[in-house]
């Protein structure tokens, strides 16, 4: 989910560990030793066009397809996988999986918010919330809602989650405050470490910034990252107070240490790997990050183009 040149070419072609009463994150498994012997790289179906990835409490990764809108599930221990949702012929970009075994899918240019059974692949809900020229990009699962970014407008979409996981009607939240909208602007979304607010990337402010958004009012304030900019900021992964920001164009993951409220952060490292081929998003499991390679700049991508995902250690 990148607002970079690679994403613009695509468009031209067509967990927090802390929580508050307001918002709660999905806790990740504590770092263990099992994942060290698991495959560090595995193949995805040819022509898949991966963009988003989701991992829940079990060792399975789910990869959405821009080409078909389908979802491919991989066993992290073996690297073997299968298609669990064939899609609707319209893209799936970001996705997340909840404790009820449901996948929440961002529908990209379709303007859709979809919910799919992760086991049977059945479509459970589909809401069209945005029209032509929109791009529903990434999704965050909080305790009481699923939040979606829409890259071409200053707004977020919310699917309320009630008792026993009941899904409510979609709502729209207008972004204000420090938010600046200019073309393809928002992308990745996460929680602050204390769970009190949302973090959203913004490509239009100061060369690429991180915004802290009040989920009740939509007021956005720029997170103080010092001299650090995020010009290609895409998928966000929060582990404790450490935020991992995937940047496809530089082929790297920026590592930022946040304060609890998410108002300030300090760059503490960068993850690079020769196997990266424009990774867009990431998900964490047992001390590792798993990233799909989008290959957006590969010429003549078609149904025969090979794709893969790789894993690296958290820092």
């Amino acid at each position: 989910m990148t607002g970079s040149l690679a994403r613009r070419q695509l468009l031209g072609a067509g967990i927090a560990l802390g929580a508050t009463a307001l918002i709660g994150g999905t806790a990740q498994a504590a770092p263990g030793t099992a994942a060290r012997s698991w495959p560090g790289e595995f193949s995805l179906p040819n022509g898949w066009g991966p963009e988003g990835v989701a991992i829940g409490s079990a060792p399975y990764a789910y990869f959405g397809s821009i080409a078909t809108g389908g979802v491919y599930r991989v066993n992290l221990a073996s690297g073997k996988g299968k298609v669990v949702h064939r899609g609707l012929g319209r893209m799936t970009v970001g996705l997340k999986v909840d404790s009820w075994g449901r996948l929440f899918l961002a529908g990209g240019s379709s303007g859709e918010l979809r919910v799919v059974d992760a086991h049977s692949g059945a479509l459970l809900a589909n809401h069209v919330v945005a029209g032509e020229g929109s791009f529903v990009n990434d999704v965050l699962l909080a305790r009481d809602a699923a939040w979606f970014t829409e890259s071409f407008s200053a707004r977020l979409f919310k699917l309320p989650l009630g008792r026993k996981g009941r899904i409510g009607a979609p709502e729209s939240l207008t972004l204000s405050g420090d938010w600046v909208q200019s073309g393809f602007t928002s992308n990745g979304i996460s929680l602050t470490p204390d769970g009190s607010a949302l973090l959203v990337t913004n490509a239009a402010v100061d060369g690429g910034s991180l915004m802290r958004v009040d989920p009740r009012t939509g007021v956005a304030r720029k997170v103080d990252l010092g001299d650090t900019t995020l010009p290609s900021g895409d998928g966000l992964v929060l582990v404790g107070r450490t935020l991992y920001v995937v940047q496809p164009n530089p082929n790297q993951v920026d590592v930022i240490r946040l304060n609890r409220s998410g108002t300030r952060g300090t760059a503490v490292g960068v993850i690079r790997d020769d196997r990266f081929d424009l990774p867009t998003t990431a998900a964490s499991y047992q001390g590792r990050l798993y990233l799909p390679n989008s290959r957006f700049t590969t010429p003549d991508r078609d149904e025969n183009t090979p794709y893969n995902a790789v894993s690296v250690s958290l820092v």
Side-chain angles (χ1 to χ4, degrees):
M1 292 161 284
T2 173
S4 63
L5 175 61
R7 169 50 65 79
R8 298 179 191 276
Q9 291 171 338
L10 167 68
L11 294 175
I15 168 162
L17 295 180
T20 67
L22 174 63
I23 296 177
T26 300
Q28 294 291 315
T33 58
R36 297 176 188 173
S37 62
W38 293 353
E41 181 176 346
F42 42 82
S43 297
L44 303 175
N46 284 358
W48 193 250
E51 221 282 1
V53 57
I55 302 175
S57 58
Y60 294 96
Y62 298 85
F63 297 90
S65 171
I66 287 176
T68 69
V71 178
Y72 185 75
R73 186 183 71 192
V74 174
N75 184 323
L76 297 178
S78 67
K80 296 181 180 180
K82 66 177 182 178
V83 175
V84 294
H85 175 62
R86 296 197 173 277
L88 305 177
R90 301 184 294 277
M91 63 175 61
T92 290
V93 193
L95 70 164
K96 291 294 185 294
V97 60
D98 72 0
S99 59
W100 297 88
R102 302 176 299 189
L103 292 162
F104 291 73
L105 313 180
S109 59
S110 73
E112 295 171 332
L113 318 180
R114 306 188 203 110
V115 184
V116 167
D117 188 299
H119 305 289
S120 69
L123 183 67
L124 303 177
N126 190 14
H127 299 281
V128 180
V129 294
E132 184 176 354
S134 64
F135 198 86
V136 181
N137 196 330
D138 200 3
V139 56
L140 161 72
L141 276 181
R143 188 190 61 190
D144 60 354
W147 291 91
F148 297 78
T149 57
E150 202 282 274
S151 298
F152 284 111
S153 67
R155 58 181 172 172
L156 301 175
F157 291 107
K158 174 184 178 181
L159 272 183
L161 300 177
R163 294 188 52 169
K164 298 184 178 180
R166 183 182 61 83
I167 300 172
E171 303 171 8
S172 177
L173 180 69
T174 299
L175 300 173
S176 60
D178 295 340
W179 191 268
V180 175
Q181 185 69 33
S182 178
F184 195 105
T185 300
S186 65
N187 204 324
I189 183 169
S190 181
L191 289 172
T192 57
D194 65 3
S196 64
L198 308 172
L199 296 173
V200 183
T201 60
N202 184 300
V205 174
D206 296 336
S209 301
L210 188 66
M211 293 287 175
R212 184 183 187 275
V213 177
D214 186 321
R216 291 165 293 204
T217 66
V219 173
R221 297 301 177 201
K222 181 185 174 185
V223 178
D224 181 3
L225 300 180
D227 296 332
T228 300
T229 59
L230 304 169
S232 184
D234 201 328
L236 302 178
V237 178
L238 183 67
V239 180
R241 286 172 49 191
T242 302
L243 184 70
Y244 296 85
V245 183
V246 183
Q247 293 212 77
N249 270 358
N251 264 333
Q252 68 186 40
V253 179
D254 288 64
V255 185
I256 297 171
R257 182 72 170 173
L258 297 169
N259 64 353
R260 284 188 53 78
S261 61
T263 59
R264 298 190 311 275
T266 302
V268 295
V270 173
I271 300 174
R272 298 187 179 93
D273 194 291
D274 290 341
R275 300 169 300 162
F276 287 173
D277 192 352
L278 273 77
T280 47
T281 54
S284 66
Y285 191 80
Q286 289 200 0
R288 299 191 68 81
L289 280 180
Y290 291 83
L291 308 94
N293 280 319
S294 72
R295 309 198 67 191
F296 281 154
T297 57
T298 299
D300 302 321
R301 290 179 300 131
D302 58 22
E303 67 275 8
N304 298 313
T305 302
Y307 289 96
N308 71 344
V310 300
S311 74
V312 294
S313 296
L314 296 177
V315 296

